Amino acid sequence: MRKKITLAAAALALAAGLTACSASADAGTSASPSSSASSSASSSSSSDSRTGTFAGLNDKKVSGTVSISGGTLTLSGFSSDEGPDLHVYLTSGTDEAAVSAGKEIKAVAFDKTDQTFSLSGIDSSSYTDVVIHCDKAKAVFGAATLS
């Protein structure tokens, strides 16, 4: 009997933890954005070559540079305040509405200075900003305007 109660408690704790991690994705306008590159664009804009410098937003610290070139998004000298669920997005603006309308690229490590992400299947030329967003807290940590 005691073993069943312990197993039930463990299963409940696991379910609660998984629910907390996925709650922010459920509230978005689309089903859980993923790194699968099946966007409406047929191919990435490999001729798009732009850069930007990150600035923190909403009392968060984000620094470093971003470059888009040849279908690749590269973070250099990157650092960010720690967040439980940080992701990099291509957006046209830096608020929550822009993030919801933007394209999630992938999870980003707050403490890894150099990171590279494929933009395969994404037309990056239609976005103006790269945003670091905490999906769990629904908070923009920082952004870089591309030029």
Side-chain angles (χ1 to χ4, degrees):
M1 179 73 168
R2 190 175 268 171
K3 191 173 188 179
K4 287 182 181 179
I5 292 172
T6 303
L7 285 175
L12 199 83
L14 178 62
L18 292 174
T19 301
C21 289
S22 66
S24 63
D26 294 341
T29 57
S30 64
S32 181
S34 69
S35 60
S36 68
S38 61
S39 71
S40 58
S42 59
S43 66
S44 88
S45 180
S46 61
S47 64
D48 185 22
S49 183
R50 298 180 289 162
T51 61
T53 301
F54 282 105
L57 297 169
N58 303 314
D59 296 324
K60 300 294 182 186
K61 293 179 184 165
V62 178
S63 62
T65 60
V66 60
S67 63
I68 293 178
S69 183
T72 301
L73 185 149
T74 303
L75 304 179
S76 301
F78 178 79
S79 71
S80 171
D81 281 348
E82 187 173 359
D85 192 24
L86 295 178
H87 289 79
V88 62
Y89 282 81
L90 284 173
T91 66
S92 292
T94 61
D95 59 6
E96 283 298 315
V99 171
S100 293
K103 177 68 177 168
E104 179 188 3
I105 304 305
K106 200 166 184 179
V108 63
F110 76 95
D111 59 351
K112 187 175 175 188
T113 58
D114 298 315
Q115 301 177 61
T116 303
F117 305 93
S118 172
L119 297 178
S120 177
I122 300 169
D123 181 7
S124 59
S125 67
S126 63
Y127 299 101
T128 60
D129 300 279
V130 175
V131 171
I132 304 302
H133 185 262
C134 180
D135 287 358
K136 188 172 183 178
K138 296 189 187 324
V140 174
F141 273 39
T145 298
L146 296 168
S147 59

